[in-house]
Amino acid sequence: MKNTGIQSLLDKAVSDIGLMEPLSTVFPDDWRCILTCAYYLVSEGGALRHVDQWQRMYPSPCRSLLASQRVSELLVRITPTLQQDFFSRWIDVNSQKDVYAMDITSVSSYSELIDFVRWGYNRDGEKLPQINLLMLTGVTSHMPLYYRIIPGSIKDVNALEDSIANISVLESPTCHFVMDKGFYSEPNLDAMYASHKKFLIGVPFTVGFACKAVEHHRDSIRSHHNYCTVFGDGLYAVTESSNWKGHRFYIHIYHDIFKAASDERNFDHTLHCCYEELSWKRHKKGFFLLCGCMGFRKWQAVYFTNCLWLQ
């Protein structure tokens, strides 16, 4: 007897989100096997080589067992061209007015056989090579829509322009991109305007206009006229219009008083620790001590100790 609860639940989810039509259209011969692998990963999260053992306990879309060899053959058949075709159809299913959040995450690996595993900035602080995974998600639908594997040595800022060209499936005029400041650069903004993409992007304070905007509104932003709440958090915000190489350009400036207090406390703590360390080193600079039970003269103690250190 098999437990049918998992398949019933996931079948309902597949039906509700409209996944069946694009999946079965792009993969007419393999969609049942793909769904079976997906069901296994959702319910167990283990390596795909064990999917046949899971099938013995639970019903699945694919009625025959997927041995390890069959899974390997299935993965080979899911080519980049078919993936792009699926992403295009999947985004069409979710093409209602939405905002798309783009971000990159890193996955560390010990493997020496994966070509995209490279040394780069590791977001988890692990001293390992990695691959980067760029992902696009619907902000309002919370639906993953697109992914792309990128070599681990490529930074966010360098990945955007090439990714815009590759995400050709996102041609909808209602498409809006939301990105963090890791993607910010002047060429990337130029590329977004050139491709007629609507976007919202974080700006680092290494950029001149960001510092000028903050200084311009520093003394006036904390007014009840500028107060707003986002997910229950209170913020002060102002918006000013500008121009980017002939294009309309808006700058949104925010001030979070709670973050300001936290940043100031952390800064004071760091400053105090630096002061303590520098004070201790300054008072002890140039000194060293020797001790013992033998009555050497001062020069003899240093002489014999230096002889020991030189050995």
Side-chain angles (χ1 to χ4, degrees):
M1 182 177 294
K2 294 184 177 182
N3 187 336
T4 62
I6 293 176
Q7 183 180 13
S8 298
L9 175 64
L10 295 178
D11 282 348
K12 180 66 165 56
V14 168
S15 175
D16 288 348
I17 65 177
L19 178 60
M20 186 65 71
E21 190 276 330
L23 186 66
S24 59
T25 301
V26 179
F27 303 100
D29 299 324
D30 290 323
W31 68 269
R32 292 182 181 276
C33 296
I34 293 173
L35 271 185
T36 296
C37 292
Y39 285 12
Y40 165 71
L41 291 174
V42 169
S43 61
E44 297 294 328
L48 281 176
R49 66 175 180 270
H50 301 308
V51 67
D52 58 336
Q53 300 175 22
W54 176 81
Q55 285 181 280
R56 292 185 175 92
M57 296 182 292
Y58 301 96
S60 62
C62 183
R63 302 308 178 189
S64 58
L65 294 179
L66 291 176
S68 178
Q69 181 63 33
R70 287 191 63 193
V71 172
S72 298
E73 294 169 354
L74 170 66
L75 296 179
V76 170
R77 291 195 297 272
I78 303 176
T79 63
T81 301
L82 291 176
Q83 290 179 36
Q84 288 295 325
D85 189 10
F86 169 76
F87 289 142
S88 179
R89 295 174 183 273
W90 178 229
I91 289 173
D92 285 342
V93 172
N94 296 273
S95 61
Q96 297 83 5
K97 290 185 178 180
D98 202 352
V99 177
Y100 299 101
M102 178 187 290
D103 203 358
I104 291 179
T105 188
S106 301
V107 181
S108 300
S109 175
Y110 288 97
S111 175
E112 297 180 355
L113 303 177
I114 302 175
D115 184 54
F116 279 8
V117 173
R118 312 275 177 82
W119 288 98
Y121 170 68
N122 193 296
R123 293 158 180 79
D124 298 322
E126 298 173 339
K127 296 181 179 180
L128 288 171
Q130 64 193 17
I131 61 172
N132 289 333
L133 182 66
L134 180 143
M135 194 164 185
L136 205 66
T137 306
V139 173
T140 55
S141 65
H142 307 291
M143 196 67 67
L145 302 174
Y146 174 91
Y147 79 88
R148 181 178 175 220
I149 297 175
I150 301 173
S153 58
I154 295 181
K155 299 179 180 178
D156 295 5
V157 68
N158 297 326
L160 180 59
E161 185 173 1
D162 184 52
S163 297
I164 292 172
N166 280 276
I167 309 177
S168 56
V169 293
L170 293 176
E171 299 300 337
S172 169
T174 62
C175 172
H176 293 69
F177 286 88
V178 178
M179 296 160 285
D180 63 27
K181 61 185 179 182
F183 288 98
Y184 180 87
S185 73
E186 184 173 336
N188 283 348
L189 261 62
D190 292 340
M192 294 298 286
Y193 277 115
S195 60
H196 306 289
K197 295 289 192 297
K198 297 177 181 178
F199 66 93
L200 190 66
I201 189 168
V203 184
F205 285 111
T206 53
V207 179
F209 75 79
C211 298
K212 290 179 181 178
V214 169
E215 291 304 318
H216 179 69
H217 295 282
R218 179 183 296 278
D219 298 328
S220 60
I221 194 171
R222 288 189 61 176
S223 164
H224 70 279
H225 296 293
N226 300 326
Y227 187 80
C228 63
T229 57
V230 181
F231 298 118
D233 295 329
L235 296 171
Y236 294 96
V238 294
T239 299
E240 63 178 47
S241 59
S242 184
N243 183 283
W244 181 273
K245 302 180 181 179
H247 300 284
R248 185 182 300 171
F249 190 62
Y250 294 100
I251 304 172
H252 306 282
I253 304 100
Y254 299 91
H255 179 63
D256 183 343
I257 58 175
F258 296 105
K259 184 177 185 302
S262 177
D263 289 347
E264 184 175 1
R265 182 172 62 252
N266 293 337
F267 175 78
D268 290 343
H269 177 73
T270 302
L271 188 63
H272 177 72
C273 291
C274 292
Y275 173 79
E276 290 287 317
E277 185 175 357
L278 290 172
S279 297
W280 186 87
K281 288 185 176 181
R282 177 169 56 85
H283 291 309
K284 308 300 185 293
K285 188 175 181 179
F287 289 91
F288 65 93
L289 282 74
L290 299 172
C291 63
C293 61
M294 302 180 67
F296 288 124
R297 295 181 179 179
K298 291 177 287 188
W299 67 268
Q300 289 176 316
V302 175
Y303 172 79
F304 287 121
T305 304
N306 282 338
C307 289
L308 176 64
W309 288 342
L310 293 173
Q311 289 181 358

